[in-house]
Amino acid sequence: MSERHSSRKDAIRNREAVLAAADALFSRRASPEDITMADVAAAAGVGKGTLFRAFGDRAGLLRALYEARLEPIREAIEAGPPPLGPGTPPQDRVRALLDAVLCFKLDNGPLALALEDSGSDSSPYRADHYERWHGLLRAVLEQIPGLTDSDFTAHALLAATRADLVEHLAGERGIPRERMREQLAGFVAKVLAPGPRPGGTAEE
């Protein structure tokens, strides 16, 4: 085995160890702010230098962990069956996509909050994960006859699933999970309902 190949395998193994350690730490702590890069490095059994080389900074680690937890949903969206998969009627798929976002943030609230807060020095709407969700929703919305301005509509729908709003509704307001899902589904249905739209006419 070449030294270069062995080094690449070590890097992959270290990355997996770090993500597993970070996942365990974030699952046990109420607040991600309590967890430092040193904590993650120690739990993974690697040096801090290895951690920073692999992820750049704390925000990079948060993004990687977020993406790892999101992977099953991404696979279902790309090649899975209805209602998330590509063969779903667009109205049904929009509802399913937003329900998946909501459930993911309910299940991963502290991580989602930390990730959204970590972009304070730049627009959160330029984050890779947000742009992907927005692009996917916009593409599906464009398939709905009579729906105008799919770009803005995608932004507006995603705003209803922001981590800080989800935390406020579930935590401070105490709204049960299933009730939140029902409320979001009702909101999406109203947005997608046929009717007069700015710059257009009602669907026949």
Side-chain angles (χ1 to χ4, degrees), residues 1-12:
M1 181 183 298
S2 70
E3 183 176 341
R4 183 177 179 182
H5 182 67
S6 177
S7 177
R8 188 182 303 114
K9 286 188 66 176
D10 288 343
I12 293 172

Side-chain angles (χ1 to χ4, degrees), residues 27 82 88 134-135 145 166 176 204:
S27 297
T88 311
H134 178 265
V166 172
E204 297 297 333

Side-chain angles (χ1 to χ4, degrees), residues 1 17 26 49-50 60 74 76 80 93 99 101 105 115 119 129 132 134 137 142-143 152 155 166 179:
M1 181 183 298
F26 278 104
T50 297
R74 184 183 301 111
R93 197 177 187 203
D99 183 67
V101 175
K105 291 188 177 180
L115 182 61
H129 64 91
R132 282 200 303 273
H134 178 265
L137 270 176
E142 287 172 350
Q143 301 171 24
F152 173 78
H155 282 302
V166 172
R179 177 57 181 156

Side-chain angles (χ1 to χ4, degrees), residues 115-187:
L115 182 61
E116 291 184 5
D117 289 343
S118 70
S120 58
D121 59 341
S122 63
S123 171
Y125 302 106
R126 293 178 182 171
D128 289 344
H129 64 91
Y130 182 86
E131 289 186 345
R132 282 200 303 273
W133 278 116
H134 178 265
L136 175 61
L137 270 176
R138 183 183 61 211
V140 179
L141 288 166
E142 287 172 350
Q143 301 171 24
I144 300 177
L147 183 68
T148 60
D149 203 348
S150 58
D151 185 81
F152 173 78
T153 303
H155 282 302
L157 290 172
L158 284 172
T161 66
R162 276 188 55 89
D164 52 1
L165 176 60
V166 172
E167 171 63 19
H168 171 72
L169 295 176
E172 297 181 29
R173 297 285 300 278
I175 299 177
R177 179 190 187 95
E178 291 308 311
R179 177 57 181 156
M180 288 183 64
R181 295 178 69 190
E182 291 171 0
Q183 289 175 324
L184 179 61
F187 172 65

Side-chain angles (χ1 to χ4, degrees), residues 30-103:
S31 173
E33 298 303 321
D34 296 337
I35 300 168
T36 67
M37 293 289 271
D39 293 333
V40 177
V46 302
K48 284 180 65 177
T50 297
L51 198 62
F52 283 102
R53 282 193 298 274
F55 300 98
D57 55 16
R58 188 172 183 277
L61 175 60
L62 289 174
R63 286 192 296 270
L65 181 56
Y66 187 93
E67 294 295 334
R69 290 187 179 182
L70 194 62
E71 185 60 28
I73 297 176
R74 184 183 301 111
E75 292 177 354
I77 290 170
E78 292 177 353
L84 283 177
T88 311
Q91 289 92 336
D92 295 339
R93 197 177 187 203
V94 169
R95 285 190 288 269
L97 288 169
L98 288 161
D99 183 67
V101 175
L102 173 62
C103 289

